[in-house]
Amino acid sequence: MRGWWQELAGLVLPVDCAGCGAVRVLVCARCRDALSGAGEGPVRPSPRPAGLPVVRAAAVYEGAVRSLLLAHKERGALPLAGVLGAALAAAVVGGGGGGAAGPDGAGEVALVPVPSARRQVRARGHDPARRIALAAAGRLRRAGVRARVAPVLGLRRAVADQAGLGARERRENLAGALAVRRGARELLPGGTRIVLVDDLVTTGATLAEAARAVRVAGLVTGPGAVLRAAVVAAPADSFRRIERVPRV
């Protein structure tokens, strides 16, 4: 019920831009540009957790992008899922033809969102990563990519709130916490390209744990199968570390 009222209010009531405060517009042109995917690229946390797949992000987590993500996640600005989903879609297909859709665009792409704890979903009234993933899948389908959301991951034990934890503490907090749900193989038939998705990557601990669960379940199969990840945003220094790698 809470989510339904938030959705309705966001559609019919005057709002200000959640990114910069511009009046009477959900997302102004400048903030929308920040999520256009123009700055999309590979990111790598430092230290890089073991098992972290290649991760691509659509934008730098700062300024308007940070405000928009927080408004959607913590303040229930549900209509922002559309613009955030478009950014996530840009990260999913990033890197040109070698991205999630493959060099020939063939095959189906399954967006696997990182799950939120039930208490967080109850408190927020929605699951942010899943909502953004659904918007991204719709955007990809309209662009001709066979994409869908496959919510196959779940928490198998309680975890502490990640806020305020360092990289090592986050890895310890999440170690072994995720598992693939029953029936996942039916949702992810052979040949499906799996892309782990989330709204944000910081230390990479969450995506690394999600990757472990998917690999242990044997879902990354087939010739040339590669597990990938995509997020809406990442810290600026994650992008710079990739750019500074010397060419050989």
Side-chain angles (χ1 to χ4, degrees), residues 21-244:
V23 297
R24 298 186 67 82
V25 59
L26 179 64
V27 183
C28 72
R30 179 177 295 179
C31 293
R32 192 176 292 273
D33 284 346
L35 286 167
S36 67
E40 184 276 334
V43 295
R44 183 170 56 216
S46 181
R48 182 180 183 273
L52 182 70
V54 172
V55 184
R56 302 192 72 94
V60 175
Y61 185 62
E62 62 184 14
V65 172
R66 179 179 183 276
S67 296
L68 289 164
L69 280 170
L70 289 176
H72 176 260
K73 176 184 282 188
E74 305 296 351
R75 298 197 294 277
L78 304 185
L80 292 176
V83 67
L84 296 173
L88 180 60
V92 170
V93 299
D104 57 1
E108 186 176 45
V109 179
L111 307 185
V112 175
V114 172
S116 298
R118 289 182 181 179
R119 66 178 184 279
Q120 292 176 327
V121 174
R122 288 194 298 268
R124 293 167 176 160
H126 72 124
D127 186 333
R130 184 169 180 174
R131 182 176 287 271
I132 294 173
L134 288 167
R139 182 78 171 219
L140 290 168
R141 288 193 295 270
R142 291 192 292 274
V145 178
R146 292 171 54 202
R148 61 187 175 85
V149 176
V152 300
L153 288 174
L155 283 163
R156 64 180 184 181
R157 64 168 176 80
V159 296
D161 191 334
Q162 297 275 78
L165 298 182
R168 179 178 177 180
E169 294 169 320
R170 289 189 177 204
R171 290 195 300 271
E172 293 173 350
N173 182 43
L174 289 168
L178 295 179
V180 169
R181 303 177 191 272
R182 290 184 179 180
R185 291 190 180 280
E186 287 70 25
L187 292 175
L188 298 170
T192 302
R193 293 176 172 86
I194 299 174
V195 183
L196 303 172
V197 296
D198 207 349
D199 57 351
L200 174 68
V201 61
T202 51
T203 67
T206 303
L207 287 174
E209 170 59 17
R212 182 206 59 78
V214 168
R215 290 176 178 131
V216 166
L219 298 181
V220 185
T221 59
V226 177
L227 183 62
R228 301 178 183 274
V231 296
V232 175
D237 58 356
S238 297
F239 288 92
R240 288 198 292 268
R241 288 190 188 103
I242 293 292
E243 296 168 356
R244 288 173 180 170

